[in-house]
Amino acid sequence: MFRMAVGHSGDIDPVVAIGEALGRCERELGGDRARAGLLFCTYDTDVQPLVAAVRAAHPDIQLAGSTSAGEMTSVLGFQEDSVALALFASDTIEITAGFGEGVSAGPAAAARAALDRALAGTTQPPRLCIAVPCITGDDPTDTLRELQGALGPDVPVLGGGSAPRTPPDEPRVARQFCNDSVLEDAAVVLLFSGPLSFSFGVDTGWRPIGARGRVTESVGNVIRTIDDEPALAFYQRYLGEGGRPTPANPLAVYEGAGDDFYLRVPLASDVDAGTVVVTGGIPNGVEVRLTVAVTDEIFAGTKSAIDKARAGFPGPAGPAAALVFSCAIRKLVLGTRTGREVDIARTELGEDVPISGFYCFGEIAPIAPGATRFHNETVVAVLIGESA
């Protein structure tokens, strides 16, 4: 038996909100014991009472979560300034949480500590890792590389970066939750071990245009040259002289010879130096293309991610739960139509599959087996159920 119950409340009082979310979850569980949970809430929420309430109601629960730029569930759809809680019950699948502090100083060490804590609580082989780390520095891939390297290529790492305020204000600090702890510079994971069935889908909706260029010099998240010319000149081939990169035109990044790519969003550019700063690192030698999208294409990307996950789900029983991680920049681009993303998920998955997720600060998913990457402006859909 595997079940996910979802509670969601928009009450401005965090104590009332978590009470409502817990109450709905417990009604849905119908007496089944909750073994683990995922908690998402806005940055400005007083987090400690939420964590304390969940742990008081379920003292031995394995709890993970983070602050978000918006919450989405099958209960209330898309909300801002709300509290979303998913509780997992199973008598066969082990679900364990772990955290590691000090991501900004040592991302690999923090990731390893989080995974070690989660692995210490399970007796079965790990199958799936959900990660909600703090995203700091120029390139968060060291955190993901350590998680994937320790778990091996057959255990995917999926999730999203914990989100600060959007648009970000100072101090730009996100929070992560693990069991009783509320953290600010941590990697947090929720590890599923045992007879688990799962699938995932990843898509964006953005279309690459024009010829590929090769990144010939980059440092961290600063692209200096593409095809041995200033990086800004690559953009201006399409945007015209004086054109400046914007989040509406992220770069598609190709690490191999195929057509699979991940996105990098431009944050700033320097006219004099000709450089472009992007969200997340970008390696030297990769190929890039400019991308474009209209609103309907962005929603088509949402549907595509869900459909890929549905098509890949093993076994005849179908999924018992869905997790959706979408980008905070997608929310900003979509504006008042943001709620359609979770509406698409509900339509595609049907009323019987509970959904929980959040708008995050970069998404986490493989682009090939064992090749976990940090994404921008992307949707990651994860379907979970029990193996037959």
Side-chain angles (χ1 to χ4, degrees):
M1 177 273 294
F2 173 85
R3 298 179 65 188
M4 182 178 83
V6 177
H8 195 177
S9 173
D11 197 286
I12 60 173
D13 185 328
V15 175
V16 174
I18 193 62
E20 291 179 352
L22 277 165
R24 182 181 177 93
C25 284
E26 287 160 4
R27 289 191 298 274
E28 289 190 7
L29 289 176
D32 289 338
R33 177 188 172 196
R35 295 186 177 272
L38 275 172
L39 175 66
F40 303 118
C41 65
T42 181
Y43 175 92
D44 294 311
T45 298
D46 186 2
V47 177
Q48 194 63 60
L50 307 183
V51 171
V54 177
R55 295 281 286 178
H58 303 278
D60 58 350
I61 198 171
Q62 295 285 290
L63 182 65
S66 79
T67 51
S68 77
E71 304 75 49
M72 62 178 117
T73 70
S74 48
V75 177
L76 294 183
F78 163 69
Q79 298 284 316
E80 294 179 286
D81 302 325
S82 69
V83 173
L85 177 67
L87 295 184
F88 301 96
S90 178
D91 51 10
T92 57
I93 297 164
E94 295 177 338
I95 311 170
T96 52
F99 72 93
E101 297 184 89
V103 170
S104 57
R112 184 71 231 196
L115 194 54
D116 285 347
R117 285 187 169 103
L119 287 168
T122 185
T123 62
Q124 301 186 78
R127 296 279 291 134
L128 173 68
C129 180
I130 300 298
V132 286
C134 176
I135 303 299
T136 61
D138 297 335
D139 188 353
T141 55
D142 284 348
T143 304
L144 308 183
R145 188 179 297 115
E146 181 66 27
L147 291 174
Q148 190 68 79
L151 289 167
D154 296 330
V155 182
V157 181
L158 301 156
S162 54
R165 292 187 182 98
T166 54
D169 299 321
E170 295 297 336
R172 191 166 151 182
V173 177
R175 297 188 182 94
Q176 306 80 46
F177 327 135
C178 185
N179 296 332
D180 294 310
S181 300
V182 177
L183 310 152
E184 289 191 347
D185 186 24
V188 170
V189 300
L190 194 66
L191 191 66
F192 292 75
S193 303
L196 187 78
S197 291
F198 66 89
S199 61
F200 63 92
V202 184
D203 214 322
T204 69
W206 267 263
R207 292 179 290 108
I209 60 171
R212 296 189 186 191
R214 187 172 297 278
V215 175
T216 45
E217 185 180 1
S218 66
V219 178
N221 65 337
V222 180
I223 309 174
R224 292 181 175 174
T225 62
I226 299 175
D227 294 333
D228 293 316
E229 296 182 352
L232 191 55
F234 179 81
Y235 269 94
Q236 291 175 345
R237 295 178 196 175
Y238 306 96
L239 303 180
E241 186 176 353
R244 303 290 290 273
T246 72
N249 299 114
L251 287 176
V253 181
Y254 301 85
E255 291 193 0
D259 293 330
D260 292 331
F261 62 85
Y262 56 89
L263 294 181
R264 285 290 175 264
V265 173
L267 295 176
S269 57
D270 187 316
V271 174
D272 294 331
T275 57
V276 177
V277 179
V278 296
T279 301
I282 190 162
N284 282 295
V286 298
E287 292 185 322
V288 295
R289 294 172 74 186
L290 197 72
T291 67
V292 297
V294 297
T295 301
D296 285 344
E297 289 173 320
I298 297 173
F299 289 133
T302 308
K303 183 178 184 299
S304 174
I306 300 292
D307 288 347
K308 288 176 182 177
R310 288 176 60 208
F313 194 82
L323 302 175
V324 181
F325 306 95
S326 188
C327 186
I329 299 178
R330 291 174 74 92
K331 187 193 80 167
L332 295 177
V333 171
L334 292 171
T336 58
R337 300 183 69 186
T338 299
R340 191 174 166 198
E341 287 210 287
V342 69
D343 289 344
I344 290 169
R346 293 164 83 175
T347 298
E348 295 301 307
L349 294 172
E351 294 296 323
D352 293 335
V353 179
I355 301 168
S356 185
F358 77 115
Y359 282 86
C360 43
F361 203 56
E363 299 70 59
I364 298 166
I367 57 172
T372 295
R373 292 292 180 269
F374 179 71
H375 299 255
N376 302 149
E377 299 199 58
T378 296
V379 173
V380 177
V382 187
L383 302 182
I384 306 173
E386 188 174 31
S387 295

